[in-house]
């Protein structure tokens, strides 16, 4: 079960550029890295489904009411990213948005929710539409609902 407290000691992404971005974000307390290349990003900590180890990634996000929305694109790869598999196995996640940290409940958007959220996320990051054309899988949209009062 990942929580906000896991953000500091979680294992970084295997992708060097994501790991570097994540470390900058965390070590700056969220003052650097929130805005990256023109888009807003958050840090997501999940629990490894096989190892039980906390893992973290930076992801582009949008919002829907009080919820945060991320896309499990993996650059249009044919397989889902590991963080999606992890949060599907254990939906308790730690999240940092700028300087704010909180624990959230993660879930894949329903098809009806995705119809609204996909265009919203593609407007934030148009490459999502390109990624969708590269793969046969329907790229999941994930909703992160804060579960405590610290955000």
């Amino acid at each position: 079960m990942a929580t906000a407290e896991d953000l500091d000691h979680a294992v970084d992404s295997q992708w060097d550029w994501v790991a570097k971005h994540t470390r900058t974000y965390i070590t700056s307390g969220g003052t650097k890295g929130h805005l990256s290349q023109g888009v807003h990003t958050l840090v997501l900590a999940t629990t490894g489904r096989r190892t039980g180890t906390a893992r973290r990634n930076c992801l582009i996000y949008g919002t829907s009411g009080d919820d945060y929305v991320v896309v499990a694109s993996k650059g249009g790869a044919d397989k889902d990213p590991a963080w999606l598999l992890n949060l599907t196995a254990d939906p308790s996640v730690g999240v940092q948005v700028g300087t704010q940290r909180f624990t959230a409940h993660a879930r894949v958007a329903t098809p009806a929710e995705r119809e609204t959220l996909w265009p919203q996320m593609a407007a934030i990051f148009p490459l999502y539409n390109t990624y969708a054309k590269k793969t046969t899988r329907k790229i999941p949209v994930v909703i992160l609902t804060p579960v405590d009062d610290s955000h």
Side-chain angles (χ1 to χ4, degrees), residues 80-96:
D80 290 326
W83 63 261
L84 177 69
L85 303 175
N86 290 344
L87 68 77
T88 301
D90 183 347
S92 179
V93 297
V95 180
Q96 182 163 341

Side-chain angles (χ1 to χ4, degrees), residues 62-113:
T63 58
S64 178
D66 291 336
D67 295 334
Y68 293 86
V69 180
V70 294
V71 176
S73 67
K74 198 175 181 182
D78 288 330
K79 293 185 178 181
D80 290 326
W83 63 261
L84 177 69
L85 303 175
N86 290 344
L87 68 77
T88 301
D90 183 347
S92 179
V93 297
V95 180
Q96 182 163 341
V97 178
T99 59
Q100 299 177 340
R101 290 182 170 198
F102 54 92
T103 301
H105 176 83
R107 66 178 179 83
V108 174
T110 66
E113 289 170 324

Side-chain angles (χ1 to χ4, degrees), residues 20-73:
K20 183 178 177 187
H21 180 191
T22 304
R23 283 192 299 274
T24 298
Y25 202 125
I26 294 295
T27 59
S28 73
T31 61
K32 294 180 182 172
H34 182 230
L35 182 63
S36 178
Q37 300 180 15
V39 294
H40 287 99
T41 63
L42 57 73
V43 180
L44 176 71
T46 61
T47 301
R49 65 198 176 284
R50 291 187 292 238
T51 64
T53 302
R55 302 189 177 279
R56 65 187 182 190
N57 285 281
C58 270
L59 301 167
I60 296 167
Y61 76 90
T63 58
S64 178
D66 291 336
D67 295 334
Y68 293 86
V69 180
V70 294
V71 176
S73 67

Side-chain angles (χ1 to χ4, degrees), residues 118-119 121-123 125-134 139:
W118 180 267
M121 294 305 295
F125 190 67
L127 278 176
Y128 286 143
N129 285 325
T130 302
Y131 296 164
K133 292 174 185 167
K134 287 174 53 176
I139 297 174

